[in-house]
Amino acid sequence: ASLTTGTNNIVIGEQTLASTTTGSNNIALGSFTLSNNIIGTDNIGIGFENLGNNIESGNIAIGSSVLQNNESGKDNIAIGLLSLSSILTSYNIAIGYHTGWDTVTNSKSKVDEYVLFIGYLAGRDPSIPQATILSNIGAIGKNAKVAASNTYVIGAAPDPITLIIYNDLNVIGNIAVGGTVDGVDIAAHA
């Protein structure tokens, strides 16, 4: 390790925190975790190659190759194999297998910001060019994909979902409903 003035780091694993010189208060458990972190502080990486290229602070990565290519993003939370592996931005949350990085459709969330992905392969829609920045987005559920900023998607076609609300639902703004009920197409706007 290159540690010179950094303090209060916990390190277990080959090449873990290998480049850190002044970074402090990091927890790195697993080979190559936080391996290129130089000055980043307050990071937690548990698993193989997590936060490998990280140089920022306040990131939490649990799994394998999680937040692996995050260089400049801070305050991200990612849990699950390859979760947000290519993200370069801050303030994102991803939980689940390949969330934000779908190798099947080659859909990678790199430049998106203020992201919430939860569920198996949840992430950005592969039809959106990789250079397009999506902001304030969420995809929740197995294979859920989001394609526009300021949008949250729950579930994925063709799998139906049921949303149960036991108390009042207060909506500020418009509601659009579409689909079929008993084989009849419906469209309602309120």
Side-chain angles (χ1 to χ4, degrees):
S2 306
L3 193 62
T4 55
T5 61
T7 60
N8 302 320
N9 292 299
I10 298 172
V11 180
I12 298 175
E14 180 186 358
Q15 294 295 312
T16 301
L17 277 176
S19 299
T20 300
T21 56
T22 60
S24 297
N25 306 317
N26 294 295
I27 298 172
L29 308 175
S31 295
F32 302 99
T33 294
L34 283 160
S35 59
N36 291 317
N37 182 61
I38 298 171
I39 59 173
T41 62
D42 303 310
N43 294 294
I44 299 172
I46 301 173
F48 179 71
E49 289 187 333
N50 291 345
L51 291 162
N53 292 314
N54 182 71
I55 59 171
E56 269 295 345
S57 301
N59 293 295
I60 299 171
I62 300 172
S64 185
S65 301
V66 177
L67 286 166
Q68 182 180 15
N69 295 310
N70 178 54
E71 295 174 358
S72 55
K74 61 183 179 180
D75 299 319
N76 293 300
I77 299 170
I79 301 171
L81 178 68
L82 289 168
S83 185
L84 290 180
S85 186
S86 293
I87 200 84
L88 301 173
T89 60
S90 302
Y91 316 115
N92 303 295
I93 299 172
I95 300 171
Y97 175 82
H98 281 240
T99 49
W101 197 50
D102 184 345
T103 56
V104 175
T105 62
N106 198 30
S107 173
K108 297 174 185 164
S109 190
K110 288 183 171 184
V111 293
D112 302 330
E113 54 192 10
Y114 308 107
V115 164
L116 175 64
F117 296 148
I118 300 174
Y120 175 85
L121 296 176
R124 69 184 281 138
D125 190 296
S127 68
I128 306 302
Q130 289 296 311
T132 301
I133 298 172
L134 299 180
S135 181
N136 189 30
I137 59 172
I140 301 171
K142 177 185 171 193
N143 293 314
K145 303 294 182 200
V146 62
S149 290
N150 301 311
T151 303
Y152 281 72
V153 174
I154 301 175
D159 300 327
I161 64 164
T162 301
L163 180 62
I164 299 172
I165 301 169
Y166 288 103
N167 293 308
D168 294 339
L169 173 64
N170 297 312
V171 177
I172 298 172
N174 299 318
I175 296 176
V177 178
T180 60
V181 175
D182 295 328
V184 178
D185 285 334
I186 61 165
H189 299 279

